[in-house]
RNA sequence: GCUCCGGUAGUGUAGUUCGGUCAAUCAUUGGGGACUCUCAAUCCCCAGACACGGGUUCGAAUCCCGUCCGGAGCACCA
């Protein structure tokens, strides 16, 4: 008799409720810096739902503030590339900065309906009205006055900070964040895509609200920090008779190893030269992770595992590494890398050829190592040994240490003795200079010949860890980026 | 201060909608063992959690109240 499993644990992401037919979802970053692990969540979760239910997937650049959140020309491309890398294949890519005219139209119809107004209150002043739940004098202006102000804004006659278009919501709303929020403001800074063409830009709440409707978005996935947006935007939807999409929120994600970071902070530090670039292995950017040999599928699995909770999560990269190891271990070729090598003269070790499997699961495919009398051992493996100690040189034979001062040993035979500690090694003659770059520094050493053919592949340095071979050639040095153990 | 969220093992989760089948799932991590010419992988075993207090109930992780803790918003940022 078969035992029924007691619990059927749900796998992956929760079902959408109510169960939709086809969905339309979007990921909407502001390209003001490189995509990071944080963006990956949005990319993956949206893509995963569209994959599950079918429908349309949209990548939308919410690049509506050339002032304080100035978009970075390169970042558009980075998002496009990284989205695809992660498996987010957009059916459509939208640039908010291309669509200002549409937003202006909506603004105008709101103005016509008396649902928005032109306000010239200084922002501190307005804040005190808002906190007190009172309307400022502009709220009751006539339609003509509002339209006139709006026209002045568009004509470029209003200075930054001297006039905005406000949504008319409810000055007594219990949540002050909802009261008469700003829909458009004057920003004269140049925009990387449209330069100085537009003096008036919508706020995220406005732009995003309009786009979600225009694009037919069925489900919005957003961070908890944008939780109030729905309440704000619903006023606009009601004014225009639109139907608000379903929303799902997720909490803040912090990764232990990276701590708190923001795109703008990263961007600043990269520009300051604190990091070598946006793919510096210390950074939480996709490009850095990719360079380190993290597979996109590992990030995908990591994010799906995390689910969609509204509680804040503090994840460990260990979990990402575990996912990546599952992907990489079955196919990564094995090589010997000797960090900080010590040459050991081995008496009685004639010219020998060791055949070593490229992968333990496929012993038929081998690489070869040719020895002369001297082998290289990692300092870590050599240190602390005494004369008389015996070691197994993996896939080659056994040695007995004769002296540590001049490092010397004697070859004692090929027969495998399982009692001996196994170490990896390299022939002194045939090897390559090699450098491993890790998030905490660089390790120099020598690597097996053949590694130079694995550029861009993830390999495992036996008893050391997985690395991605970054480059080979220039200066004869092979550069590897450490992935994880 | 005001308005919202949320708190299940070290970490991430399942279960909470419709209380019992939960002496609480899965993964990761840690410990032990097997296997292995890698400190990888694989296999087996073990460890570890319902924030706290009260209430409702025959019965509460699940419902109610309170407390504590954490987070977010209250920008002419996204």
């Amino acid at each position: 008799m078969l035992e029924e499993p007691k619990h059927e644990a749900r796998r992956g992401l929760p079902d959408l409720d109510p169960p939709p037919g086809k969905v339309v979802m979007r990921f909407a970053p502001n390209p003001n810096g490189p995509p990071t692990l944080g963006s990956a969540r949005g990319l993956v979760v949206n893509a995963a739902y569209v994959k599950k239910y079918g429908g349309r997937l949209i990548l939308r650049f919410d690049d509506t503030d050339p002032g304080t959140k100035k978009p970075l020309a390169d970042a558009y491309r980075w998002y496009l590339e990284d989205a695809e890398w992660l498996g987010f294949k957009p059916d459509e890519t939208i640039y908010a900065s291309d669509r200002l005219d549409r937003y202006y139209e909506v603004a105008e119809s709101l103005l016509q309906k008396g649902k928005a107004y032109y306000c010239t209150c200084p922002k501190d002043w307005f804040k005190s009205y808002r906190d007190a739940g009172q309307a400022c004098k502009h709220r009751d202006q006539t339609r003509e006055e509002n339209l006139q102000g709006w026209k002045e804004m568009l004509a470029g006659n209003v200075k930054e900070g001297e006039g905005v278009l406000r949504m008319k919501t409810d000055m007594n709303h219990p949540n002050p964040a909802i009261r008469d929020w700003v829909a458009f403001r004057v920003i004269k800074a140049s925009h990387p895509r449209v330069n100085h063409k537009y003096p008036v830009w919508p706020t995220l709440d406005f732009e995003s609200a309009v786009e979600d409707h225009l694009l037919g978005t069925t489900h919005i996935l957003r961070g908890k920090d944008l939780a109030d947006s729905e309440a704000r935007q619903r006023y606009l939807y009601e004014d225009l008779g639109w139907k608000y999409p379903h929303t799902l929120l997720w909490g803040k994600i912090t990764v232990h190893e990276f701590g708190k970071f923001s795109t703008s902070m990263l961007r600043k530090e990269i520009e300051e030269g604190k990091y070598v670039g946006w793919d510096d292995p210390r950074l939480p950017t996709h490009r850095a992770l990719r360079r380190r040999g993290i597979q996109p599928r590992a990030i995908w699995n990591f994010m799906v595992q995390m689910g969609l909770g509204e509680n804040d999560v503090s994840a460990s990269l260990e979990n990402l590494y575990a996912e990546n190891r599952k992907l990489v271990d079955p196919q990564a070729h094995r090589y010997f890398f000797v960090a900080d090598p010590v040459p050991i003269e081995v008496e009685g070790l004639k010219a020998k050829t060791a055949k070593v499997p490229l992968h333990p699961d496929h012993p038929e495919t081998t690489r070869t190592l040719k020895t002369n009398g001297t082998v290289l051992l990692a300092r870590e493996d050599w240190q602390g040994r005494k004369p008389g100690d015996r070691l197994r040189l993996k896939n080659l034979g056994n040695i007995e240490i004769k002296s540590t001062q001049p490092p010397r040993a004697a070859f004692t035979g090929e027969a495998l003795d399982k009692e001996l500690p196994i170490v990896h090694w390299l022939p002194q003659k045939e090897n390559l200079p090699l450098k491993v770059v890790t998030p905490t520094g660089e390790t120099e050493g020598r690597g097996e010949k053949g590694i130079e053919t694995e550029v861009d592949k993830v390999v495992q340095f036996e008893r050391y860890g997985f690395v991605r071979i970054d480059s080979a050639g220039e200066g004869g040095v092979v550069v590897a980026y450490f992935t994880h153990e």
Side-chain angles (χ1 to χ4, degrees):
Chain A
M1 220 203 285
L2 268 172
E3 291 271 334
E4 281 288 318
K6 260 188 168 180
H7 307 284
E8 184 95 9
R10 180 175 68 62
R11 292 244 142 256
L13 297 167
D15 294 330
L16 256 16
D17 186 43
K22 289 197 185 308
V23 296
V24 178
M25 302 184 79
R26 94 282 133 102
F27 175 68
N30 175 21
N32 66 331
T36 64
L37 222 35
S39 341
R41 190 177 197 180
L43 255 359
V44 167
V45 175
N46 277 289
Y49 275 120
V50 173
K51 200 169 178 182
K52 178 170 181 174
Y53 291 101
R56 287 172 61 72
L57 186 55
I58 296 160
L59 177 61
R60 186 181 80 213
F61 290 108
D62 284 350
D63 53 349
T64 56
D65 184 358
T68 58
K69 285 282 170 84
K70 196 183 197 65
L72 191 62
D74 284 337
Y76 292 93
R77 182 173 43 84
W78 296 341
Y79 270 97
L80 256 13
E81 289 170 2
D82 290 2
E84 190 179 344
W85 179 66
L86 273 173
F88 181 106
K89 300 203 168 53
D91 295 296
E92 195 175 358
T93 301
I94 300 287
Y95 299 81
S97 50
D98 278 352
R99 294 156 66 97
L100 273 284
D101 294 331
R102 301 179 194 227
Y103 312 145
Y104 292 166
E105 278 172 34
V106 176
E108 212 155 311
S109 78
L110 252 10
L111 248 10
Q112 292 291 354
K113 289 175 193 276
K115 301 295 189 184
Y117 60 98
Y118 176 65
C119 175
T120 56
C121 291
K123 71 177 161 184
D124 294 346
W125 194 5
F126 187 84
K127 178 176 162 53
S128 54
Y129 276 110
R130 184 187 49 220
D131 291 347
Q134 285 173 356
C136 73
K137 63 179 178 187
H138 307 102
R139 204 176 205 266
D140 300 319
Q141 281 164 171
T142 64
R143 177 165 49 204
E144 286 63 37
E145 286 172 306
N146 288 327
L147 249 10
Q148 181 56 32
W150 171 244
K151 214 169 286 174
E152 293 295 324
M153 281 174 82
L154 290 183
N157 298 334
V158 178
K159 289 186 190 148
E160 284 189 26
E162 298 195 348
V164 298
L165 194 73
R166 266 180 209 291
M167 289 300 298
K168 202 179 275 185
T169 64
D170 178 357
M171 287 309 284
N172 291 309
H173 194 285
N175 183 353
I178 310 305
R179 299 171 190 165
D180 287 16
W181 48 276
V182 173
F184 287 86
R185 73 296 210 208
V186 175
I187 300 173
K188 303 223 167 154
S190 86
H191 188 285
R193 296 190 76 252
V194 293
N195 295 316
H196 292 283
K197 188 172 176 191
Y198 303 102
V200 176
W201 290 87
T203 56
L204 175 76
D205 274 316
F206 189 91
E207 175 268 342
S208 164
V210 172
E211 285 296 359
D212 284 334
H213 174 258
L214 256 27
L215 299 171
T217 307
T218 59
H219 297 261
I220 300 172
L221 262 35
R222 56 164 65 118
K224 222 169 47 169
D225 53 328
L226 260 27
D228 289 338
S229 284
E230 177 169 353
R232 279 195 281 254
Q233 295 176 343
R234 275 188 183 278
Y235 279 91
L236 189 154
Y237 273 65
E238 209 161 298
D239 294 341
L240 270 2
W242 296 346
K243 184 176 179 296
Y244 202 81
H246 297 280
T247 50
L248 284 153
L249 301 176
W250 60 56
K252 196 181 63 177
I253 160 170
T254 315
V255 173
H256 297 326
E257 291 82 348
F258 294 124
K260 288 191 167 80
F261 64 84
S262 72
T263 309
S264 0
M265 182 188 93
L266 252 33
R267 178 176 173 180
K268 187 163 162 274
E269 291 178 337
I270 291 169
E271 282 166 0
E272 285 170 353
K274 185 171 169 189
Y275 299 106
V276 300
W278 33 258
D279 57 356
D280 187 293
R282 291 165 290 181
L283 293 175
T285 57
H286 296 168
R287 306 180 94 79
L289 294 168
R290 177 176 357 174
R291 195 163 194 193
R292 288 170 57 185
I294 300 295
Q295 307 296 299
R297 188 73 206 181
I299 296 179
W300 179 288
N301 293 344
F302 177 67
M303 291 301 169
V304 166
Q305 243 180 45
M306 203 122 57
L308 215 51
E310 278 189 48
N311 49 332
D312 300 329
V313 300
S314 177
S316 168
L317 238 29
E318 284 300 333
N319 292 281
L320 211 212
Y321 293 160
E323 290 300 329
N324 199 60
R325 196 175 295 116
K326 288 178 198 166
L327 263 21
V328 133
D329 184 77
Q331 40 91 359
H333 287 167
R334 268 57 173 174
Y335 290 100
F336 290 159
F337 161 66
V338 171
D340 196 4
V342 181
I344 319 291
E345 194 183 314
V346 184
E347 296 162 19
L349 176 61
K350 295 177 277 293
K352 268 171 60 68
T353 303
K355 296 249 180 216
V356 191
L358 272 173
H359 193 286
D361 294 346
H362 308 285
E364 61 287 356
T365 330
T366 57
R367 68 225 207 226
T368 52
L369 290 153
K370 289 182 188 157
T371 65
N372 56 5
T374 301
V375 299
L376 265 27
L377 293 190
R379 187 165 302 277
E380 201 187 337
D381 284 332
W382 177 253
Q383 231 147 30
R385 307 281 179 202
K386 309 181 296 292
D389 284 356
R390 300 172 66 216
L391 290 174
R392 170 73 182 179
L393 303 181
K394 189 167 187 274
N395 297 291
L396 183 70
N398 313 317
I399 58 170
E400 181 175 329
I401 295 165
K402 292 297 180 190
S403 120
T404 52
Q405 254 336 308
R408 191 175 297 151
F411 193 73
T412 58
E414 287 182 18
L416 177 61
D417 180 348
K418 296 202 175 188
E419 301 302 305
L420 301 183
I422 295 165
V423 297
H424 59 280
W425 54 277
L426 283 173
Q428 187 189 33
K429 281 265 160 62
E430 295 194 349
N431 61 54
L432 305 163
L434 200 149
K435 183 171 82 175
V436 180
V437 179
T438 77
T440 52
E442 299 184 350
T443 304
E444 312 230 343
R446 313 293 292 190
E448 223 176 283
K449 280 189 77 175
I451 292 173
E452 77 280 4
T453 65
E454 302 271 7
V455 172
D456 202 32
K457 299 219 171 68
V458 174
V459 302
Q460 189 203 47
F461 288 164
E462 298 199 37
R463 307 206 309 131
Y464 183 82
F466 293 91
V467 301
R468 178 181 153 279
I469 305 304
D470 192 66
S471 65
E474 300 98 59
V477 181
V478 175
V479 178
Y481 272 61
F482 188 72
T483 311
H484 47 65
E485 291 191 344

